[in-house]
Each structure stands twice: as C-alpha cells, then as structure tokens.
Amino acid sequence: MSQIKLFDHMISVGITAKNALSAFDTSAYSTIFCLVDENTEKHCLPVFKENFKGEFQIICIASGEENKTFETCTEIWRQLLSNGANRESLLINLGGGVICDTGGFVAGNFKRGISFVNIPTTLLAMVDAAIGGKTGVNVDSLKNQIGSFEFPEAVYVMPEFLNTLTEQELKQGYAEILKHALIADFDLWQSLKSENVDFATDENLLAKSIRIKTSIVEEDPEEKEKRKLLNFGHTIGHAIESWSQNNSEAALSHGEAVSIGIIAESFLSYRKSNISFDELKEICDTVYLYFNPVYLAEDKLGEIIELMQYDKKNKNDEINFTLLKNIGIGIIDQTASKELILESLEFYKTFPDRNYIAQK
Ligand SMILES: NC(=O)c1ccc[n+]([C@@H]2O[C@H](COP(=O)([O-])OP(=O)(O)OC[C@H]3O[C@@H](n4cnc5c(N)ncnc54)[C@H](O)[C@@H]3O)[C@@H](O)[C@H]2O)c1
Ligand SMILES: [Zn+2]
C-alpha cells in the first residue's frame, strides 16, 4: 500500500490509487472537468471511467509539447466558461507532463484558482511532472517561461497506464528515476541494476522514486537550495538537448540527453574524487541497460559547452553542477572547468564500446 504525503495532499500509488479514486468524494464540487489529449482520451480515459464514479465533462486538447502554450490555456479557459465552470469546479488532469503542467496552470489561474487533481499517465509524469507543484507553459521555443507553483488536491498514480506507452516515452521517465536513485537512494539504485525492471508491475519502485522528489520538494518548495539536487545530469543534459534540437536530424529527447548528462556528470564526480572508478563504471553499465549510446561528433563538443554558459543556474562565469558525493548522495553547488567538462564528454564518447578511460 503506497501513500505519500506532500504538504497537505496525498499521492497514492497502484491499488491504493485505484481505491482512493473509486472513493473520491465529488460532493464538494459544482462541476467536474477532465482534461485529456487525443492519446490519453483513447488509452487512459476508459480506465479512468471504470474507476471514477462521478459525472464529468471532457476537455480534449491536441497532444505534444508544441501545444503546451498560453493559447491552449485560453482555449481550455473558454471551454470551462462556456460549460458552466465556477470557483467550486474541479479539473482532473489525465495525461503526461504536458497535460499536468498545462492543466495545473489553467486551474491555478481560473477565477483566481480552482481545485485540481493529477492523474499522470506517462512514467515521466508519474515520478516527476505531476509531483512538486511546478506548472506552466512554453513561449515559442522557450520552455516553461510562464508558470506558477500550484499544488493539486491529490495525485493518483496508476502504473497500468504505462502499458500503452512506447519505449521512447518510457525512456523520458527512466532518466529521472536513475537520477533520483543516484542523488538520494542507494537501495533504489540497487534495484535498478537488475535486467528485469518493469515499472508497470512494480509500484514499489515508482513509490520510492516519487518519495525522493517529494522529500526534496518538501524541504525546498520554491527551488531555492535543496531542489537543486534534482539538476543532477541536467546541466550537461540540457545543453546536449538544445544542441541536438538545432543541429541533428534526429533530435534527442530530454530523457536521452539527460542519460548522457548523468554519465558525463558522474565522470565529473569521479574526477573530483567523490566516486571511485568502479562506481563510475557501474553507473555507465546501469544507464546502458535503459539507453542506447549516442554518437557525439568530436568537432561539436565545444558548441555543447558554449551552450552550458547560458544556463540560468550559473554564477560568476562558473558552470554550476549538482554532482555525486557517493552513489545515493548528491551534492549541490559544485563547479567544473571547461577543460574538465570537455573531458567528461570525451569520456562519454568511449561509452559505446565501453572501453572506459581509467586515468585520473
Ligand atoms: N512540472 C514539472 O515539475 C515537470 C517536471 C518534468 C517535466 N515536466 C514537463 O513534462 C512534459 C513532458 O512530459 P511527458 O514526457 O509526459 O510528455 P507528454 O505529456 O507530451 O506525453 C508524451 C506522449 O505520450 C502520450 N501519452 C500520455 N500517456 C499515454 C499513455 N498512457 N498511453 C499512450 N500514450 C500516452 C501523450 O499524448 C504524448 O503524445 C514537458 O513539457 C516537461 O517540461 C514538468
Ligand atoms: Zn529532466
């Protein structure tokens, strides 16, 4: 039975989530709306309907990151208004990170704030996007520029939704779960090293990963200090993601880019004498269970490092990192020179044949 408390709301996982959803008390709400996209309408709404007893109206938006916009919010606000929503209405976000981010922002700002619940349907949303209160939308190609902190009434994590996700979509979540284990949970890390991990059937793994995020958010809800731990793998990961979107025929997903970031930033942790070479190798081998290696052309590595200098987390021209103190313990506010970062990307390039460079 998995129930995790975050501030004053509950995140239920697995069978507990189904039971809690079936027992959901709708009497406090004047009208209920369920926000879906065309994929979650097809794959997830039928399961939701089996478990949720109340009446509701459906609002369907087009799927995809390109629709995480203020224009989509306006469209949802119009639909809410024309269908009688008021301050006592409830919005149920049934979908991945795009639905949870957009729906949370819509609810938080409709008539100065109505209640909402999150029912994440992707692995990434289950362990990350639906948890922690960050909501928002993109402006043109700039991600998450408009947003606010809004906490749901409850979150229901139902792993069976993962059965209709593609491997490519699952990978988005793998990267964040590997990150959670590396920064905060040695036991979870041990479980992830197995060849047969299946998040759709092992709700304990999901719950452990969610608990890491909630405990960090609880200590630092507005991202002042401790929440920086969640940036592990993301300083180099974000630069690679942006670089690949501008330069590559097949742009890397966020999860794929973060998988490279995890290896490169683990290398930085090794070179700063925090983790041993054997631990570094163990991290690489485990990431390799979930991700295929990506080829990074030698002459592009400098461009990736240039992109890191624009990262909003940097101060005084130094590139700021969250690194590992050990496997299972992250450490914030670390810096690395450009030369060392370049070396970390060179190290990643040895990943495909796993002929790791051992010199210090
Ligand atoms: N708020 C936060 O703290 C936070 C954290 C991490 C990521 N995010 C945001 O999350 C977003 C990415 O989330 P995502 O990866 O879930 O993407 P997504 O919401 O776009 O979902 C990915 C795709 O899977 C489809 N889908 C969703 N559930 C499905 C299911 N069960 N079966 C079949 N198809 C399904 C969707 O329709 C979509 O096409 C980004 O916008 C990112 O900025 C937010
Ligand atoms: Zn991420």
Side-chain angles (χ1 to χ4, degrees):
M1 187 170 125
S2 303
Q3 262 202 322
I4 302 157
K5 192 165 187 294
L6 176 57
F7 302 122
D8 52 5
H9 69 274
M10 283 295 179
I11 299 159
S12 344
V13 186
I15 189 72
T16 316
K18 274 192 152 182
N19 291 340
L21 193 59
S22 304
F24 190 92
D25 179 10
T26 58
S27 65
Y29 305 104
S30 58
T31 40
I32 299 177
F33 295 84
C34 180
L35 182 66
V36 291
D37 64 31
E38 75 281 4
N39 297 319
T40 64
E41 181 171 41
K42 177 172 172 203
H43 297 294
C44 310
L45 195 59
V47 177
F48 171 71
K49 280 181 175 163
E50 272 170 32
N51 291 281
F52 184 76
K53 304 285 180 282
E55 282 188 14
F56 62 92
Q57 301 176 58
I58 298 164
I59 300 180
C60 184
I61 61 171
S63 67
E65 186 67 31
E66 64 280 15
N67 294 305
K68 197 175 114 174
T69 60
F70 204 78
E71 288 73 24
T72 301
C73 294
T74 308
E75 181 192 320
I76 302 168
W77 283 318
R78 279 208 184 94
Q79 290 203 40
L80 287 170
L81 285 169
S82 61
N83 289 292
N86 58 24
R87 292 195 72 176
E88 282 71 48
S89 296
L90 172 75
L91 184 66
I92 298 170
N93 297 321
L94 180 67
V98 168
I99 289 284
C100 293
D101 276 9
T102 311
F105 183 71
V106 160
N109 292 283
F110 183 73
K111 295 190 185 274
R112 301 197 177 83
I114 60 168
S115 301
F116 69 100
V117 304
N118 282 340
I119 308 184
T121 62
T122 63
L123 187 57
L124 177 88
M126 290 178 190
V127 299
D128 197 356
I131 313 287
K134 278 204 215 170
T135 73
V137 293
N138 307 329
V139 177
D140 301 328
S141 60
L142 299 171
K143 295 244 323 165
N144 303 323
Q145 298 297 303
I146 309 290
S148 51
F149 286 95
E150 313 286 349
F151 286 92
E153 300 285 297
V155 182
Y156 303 96
V157 176
M158 292 158 55
E160 65 195 276
F161 288 134
L162 300 177
N163 293 327
T164 52
L165 269 192
T166 62
E167 184 62 23
Q168 186 63 16
E169 291 302 342
L170 285 167
K171 281 185 176 165
Q172 307 279 37
Y174 296 155
E176 308 301 338
I177 295 171
L178 289 164
K179 174 192 80 177
H180 283 163
L182 285 167
I183 59 170
D185 191 337
F186 184 75
D187 287 346
L188 175 59
W189 177 254
Q190 293 299 99
S191 313
L192 297 177
K193 280 160 55 184
S194 149
E195 300 260 341
N196 309 313
V197 173
D198 181 0
F199 294 103
T201 53
D202 194 339
E203 63 181 66
N204 280 332
L205 292 183
L206 284 178
K208 278 188 178 178
S209 185
I210 293 166
R211 236 178 232 118
I212 293 162
K213 178 141 188 201
T214 56
S215 64
I216 293 173
V217 169
E218 199 137 48
E219 278 187 55
D220 180 17
E222 292 187 0
E223 206 166 31
K224 301 241 159 40
E225 275 303 310
K226 183 129 199 229
R227 207 159 165 163
K228 287 187 199 162
L229 270 178
L230 296 166
N231 291 336
F232 176 65
H234 281 65
T235 305
I236 293 180
H238 273 147
I240 291 181
E241 187 182 0
S242 315
W243 172 82
S244 88
Q245 273 156 8
N246 299 334
N247 289 279
S248 171
E249 277 171 23
L252 296 173
S253 71
H254 178 73
E256 287 168 323
V258 169
S259 76
I260 301 173
I262 287 175
I263 288 174
E265 294 180 21
S266 297
F267 177 85
L268 298 180
S269 308
Y270 156 68
R271 290 300 302 271
K272 294 202 153 233
S273 302
N274 297 342
I275 62 171
S276 68
F277 187 73
D278 281 347
E279 286 172 307
L280 173 61
K281 194 166 172 306
E282 178 183 319
I283 293 171
C284 296
D285 289 342
T286 306
V287 171
Y288 200 53
L289 290 175
Y290 296 84
F291 289 90
N292 296 321
V294 173
Y295 173 71
L296 297 177
E298 185 69 37
D299 59 342
K300 305 294 184 207
L301 302 186
E303 287 176 28
I304 295 171
I305 292 172
E306 286 307 308
L307 280 169
M308 259 173 251
Q309 302 197 301
Y310 299 112
D311 196 301
K312 59 182 181 295
K313 294 178 283 294
N314 297 327
K315 281 191 190 141
N316 308 330
D317 268 2
E318 290 203 300
I319 299 181
N320 193 296
F321 287 94
T322 292
L323 297 180
L324 300 178
K325 192 167 167 207
N326 287 121
I327 291 185
I329 304 180
I331 172 168
I332 63 171
D333 290 333
Q334 303 294 295
T335 55
S337 67
K338 277 191 188 179
E339 292 69 32
L340 192 56
I341 300 168
L342 187 62
E343 222 183 298
S344 76
L345 293 173
E346 297 280 4
F347 172 78
Y348 177 82
K349 283 172 63 63
T350 67
F351 190 60
D353 51 10
R354 297 209 264 173
N355 174 23
Y356 305 118
I357 306 162
Q359 90 273 18
K360 193 147 186 152

